[in-house]
Amino acid sequence: MDRSSDTRTAEELLADAINRPESYGQPETRRLIRLLRSRDPKARLSASWAIGLAVEHNPALVDSNIRRLARSVESEIAETDAIRTIAYIAEHRPDVVEKVLSLANVDREQAVELAPQIVRIYRDTDRGPASVVGDHQSQLGRKHMSHRAEETANESDDEVDPDDPDDPKDRSRSVAATGDRPPKSPPEPPPPRSLRYSEFVVEGPMLSQGPIEAMKAKYQAEGRQYPVTLKRLRNRLSPTDTRRIAEELSDWDSVGTHPAAVSVVGWGIAPGGWIAHQYIDGGTVADRRGPVPPREAYWIVERVSDALRYAHGQGLVHGCLSPSSVGFGVSFGVSKTGDPWNYPFVMDWGCLRLYDVDVATAIGHPVKYAAPEQIAPDRFGRVDALTDVYQLGALAYRLFTGRAPYQSTGPTAVTEVIGRQPPPPSGVHHAVPEALDPILQTCLASSKLDRYETVEAFRRELAAVRSEVGL
């Protein structure tokens, strides 16, 4: 697909911001702010990152652009990317962000969903609109926090870094406590049945993100009520979108038959595209504090890789794999001693194709878990099955070491992902065997040519190491 002129301009400015940030001045900054209102989402995303990098190098660049940024935040087209942009700026110029929020007619919930670090910066102040956002976030978090909410708050924008072993905020939950052995089988999935959207009873909203509205709901089947996660596209579908959305939802449904993929209860295209899937009650990998014990980490990676292998066999790519897209189901009916580990489920299948975006981070995929081709497709190629290999390696790195392969946040993470090799995992955590280092580093190679050719090839290498170290 040909790139628009806006995308070409934004990507050129982003390349300059990465390689020559000292060259940036007011003219470049204003061009980027104008590009935030482009109708091309790729242009808006590249412009957002470029502004963040430029401001990191020279925080004074935004001093004379407060009103321009406020107008972008108010723009129906630019709002999402503009809020993400001021979140990047907030790391260096919180005073500017406060002025932007004061001038703009800010959608409070949207700001909370997309930019938790704004809340972090102002949570202890009582001035300006940001304090209202902070109060709202506190109330919303107590009432409606879910695995999707925690994905946004804990991973996408790093309000508190879940990879920091010194982070005082303990994300562990009683339902996510680990046992000492794998379960013999996954928890029983909820029974599917022919359902209309109106048959689900919504119990409360989850913290939604981007084009997705997420809710906890329930439905009745076989004389019982079952909880589900109900997700819906915010926007109405055009006639040309209807067939594409139906195909993607059907693909998600077919992958959900794998034991380690979240099972789909129902889906439809009226009103708008929607899907209901198994409710994950044991948190996500993003909730797990610190490294996972090696034996359990191997097992989780094997289950996730098997689900990916199954999907690839059907010609399907996940493309958004991260710690917050792998949840745990609690096993019931087990003995009080020797409880098994909670079973992992891969969620959010097909999110790239489903929402018609080419870059994962455009809908909140954490940059530090994105593959290089999702950041610089012209240099590294398109998203495909090898993207899942990369993200599987990043997920395994997090499980074994307790932290992401890259530690920077915001736009700085872009330069690390596309230009640096992460440190060997055995050097990050003493319990990681050195034999695992080359395996994960092969997965995390910038060039697709240097990665494993298939998930199955990765699985074979992993199984050999597991046998070698006796786990």
Side-chain angles (χ1 to χ4, degrees):
M1 183 182 295
D2 292 337
R3 295 177 300 158
S4 69
S5 59
D6 281 353
T7 294
R8 289 194 295 271
T9 300
E11 289 179 350
E12 289 170 1
L13 290 168
L14 175 58
D16 287 342
I18 293 172
N19 300 313
R20 299 186 299 114
E22 70 282 355
S23 68
Y24 264 63
Q26 289 297 332
E28 290 80 10
T29 304
R30 289 171 184 171
R31 288 176 69 192
L32 288 169
I33 293 174
R34 284 196 296 272
L35 285 167
L36 285 177
R37 284 179 273 179
S38 168
R39 293 193 174 275
D40 189 326
K42 295 182 186 177
R44 297 196 302 270
L45 184 64
S46 294
S48 177
W49 283 343
I51 292 171
L53 287 167
V55 171
E56 181 178 15
H57 182 79
N58 181 8
L61 284 174
V62 289
D63 284 348
S64 61
N65 290 293
I66 291 171
R67 291 187 180 278
R68 293 182 179 88
L69 287 166
R71 284 195 292 271
S72 295
V73 170
E74 289 184 335
S75 166
E76 183 177 347
I77 293 175
E79 180 184 24
T80 296
D81 295 286
I83 289 174
R84 190 176 291 113
T85 301
I86 64 171
Y88 295 153
I89 294 170
E91 296 181 15
H92 308 284
R93 293 299 304 276
D95 57 321
V96 168
V97 170
E98 184 180 9
K99 292 175 183 177
V100 171
L101 292 171
S102 298
L103 285 172
N105 181 19
V106 179
D107 181 331
R108 310 289 190 214
E109 292 190 5
Q110 183 81 336
V112 168
E113 293 163 13
L114 292 170
Q117 63 264 62
I118 294 176
V119 179
R120 177 195 65 188
I121 288 171
Y122 295 115
R123 66 154 57 97
D124 296 326
T125 70
D126 58 1
R127 66 187 191 278
S131 64
V132 178
V133 176
D135 292 341
H136 177 79
Q137 167 72 358
S138 177
Q139 296 168 7
L140 195 63
R142 288 193 298 268
K143 293 171 61 178
H144 304 310
M145 191 61 101
S146 66
H147 70 264
R148 172 57 72 180
E150 291 161 44
E151 171 184 346
T152 305
N154 298 342
E155 287 296 331
S156 180
D157 288 294
D158 295 294
E159 178 185 356
V160 182
D161 190 350
D163 299 322
D164 183 358
D166 298 320
D167 179 358
K169 182 178 179 181
D170 187 356
R171 287 180 178 78
S172 62
R173 299 163 56 177
S174 60
V175 294
T178 58
D180 61 6
R181 59 186 170 83
K184 294 181 179 179
S185 61
E188 190 69 24
R193 51 168 285 221
S194 179
L195 289 162
R196 295 187 301 273
Y197 182 85
S198 59
E199 292 182 72
F200 292 96
V201 178
V202 175
E203 295 185 321
M206 297 176 175
L207 192 58
S208 305
Q209 183 170 347
I212 314 165
E213 179 183 15
M215 298 158 281
K216 182 180 180 183
K218 59 185 178 182
Y219 75 106
Q220 186 141 350
E222 302 175 356
R224 290 182 53 191
Q225 287 190 333
Y226 293 87
V228 294
T229 297
L230 183 61
K231 295 178 179 177
R232 181 178 66 177
L233 291 176
R234 296 181 188 275
N235 301 326
R236 291 183 176 275
L237 299 178
S238 67
T240 56
D241 287 334
T242 300
R243 176 175 295 181
R244 176 180 60 82
I245 295 296
E247 289 175 352
E248 305 309 340
L249 291 172
S250 178
D251 287 343
W252 187 348
D253 192 2
S254 66
V255 176
T257 59
H258 188 277
V262 69
S263 61
V264 174
V265 174
W267 61 270
I269 55 174
W274 65 270
I275 193 164
H277 66 69
Q278 181 178 7
Y279 182 72
I280 299 302
D281 52 357
T284 67
V285 172
D287 301 322
R288 303 289 286 271
R289 181 172 171 77
V292 173
R295 184 165 170 255
E296 185 182 4
Y298 276 112
W299 176 70
I300 292 171
V301 174
E302 285 178 342
R303 301 311 303 137
V304 171
S305 62
D306 195 56
L308 290 174
R309 179 179 64 171
Y310 177 76
H312 292 175
Q314 300 184 52
L316 304 177
V317 173
H318 190 287
C320 286
L321 192 68
S322 76
S324 47
S325 64
V326 177
F328 295 99
V330 175
S331 297
F332 297 97
V334 297
S335 62
K336 292 183 179 179
T337 59
D339 288 348
W341 301 320
N342 293 333
Y343 203 91
F345 293 97
V346 183
M347 305 179 288
D348 298 333
W349 291 91
C351 60
L352 293 183
R353 294 169 291 111
L354 182 59
Y355 305 116
D356 197 24
V357 291
D358 294 323
V359 182
T361 44
I363 60 171
H365 187 73
V367 173
K368 57 189 176 183
Y369 291 104
E373 58 267 27
Q374 294 175 297
I375 295 171
D378 287 347
R379 178 177 170 187
F380 296 102
R382 305 287 292 179
V383 171
D384 56 22
L386 293 181
T387 304
D388 284 346
V389 171
Y390 180 98
Q391 292 178 348
L392 180 61
L395 175 74
Y397 195 105
R398 167 66 186 275
L399 286 165
F400 282 103
T401 68
R403 49 160 274 188
Y406 302 98
Q407 293 300 286
S408 297
T409 61
T412 308
V414 172
T415 57
E416 290 194 340
V417 171
I418 66 176
R420 300 179 188 173
Q421 184 78 7
S426 65
V428 175
H429 185 61
H430 63 87
V432 181
E434 290 186 7
L436 193 63
D437 290 348
I439 295 178
L440 297 191
Q441 290 180 315
T442 298
C443 288
L444 293 167
S446 297
S447 171
K448 292 181 182 179
L449 295 176
D450 295 328
R451 298 176 201 163
Y452 291 108
E453 293 182 359
T454 63
V455 168
E456 178 57 31
F458 164 77
R459 281 170 53 84
R460 287 196 299 268
E461 294 280 345
L462 186 70
V465 170
R466 184 175 185 178
S467 176
E468 176 185 333
V469 300
L471 290 175

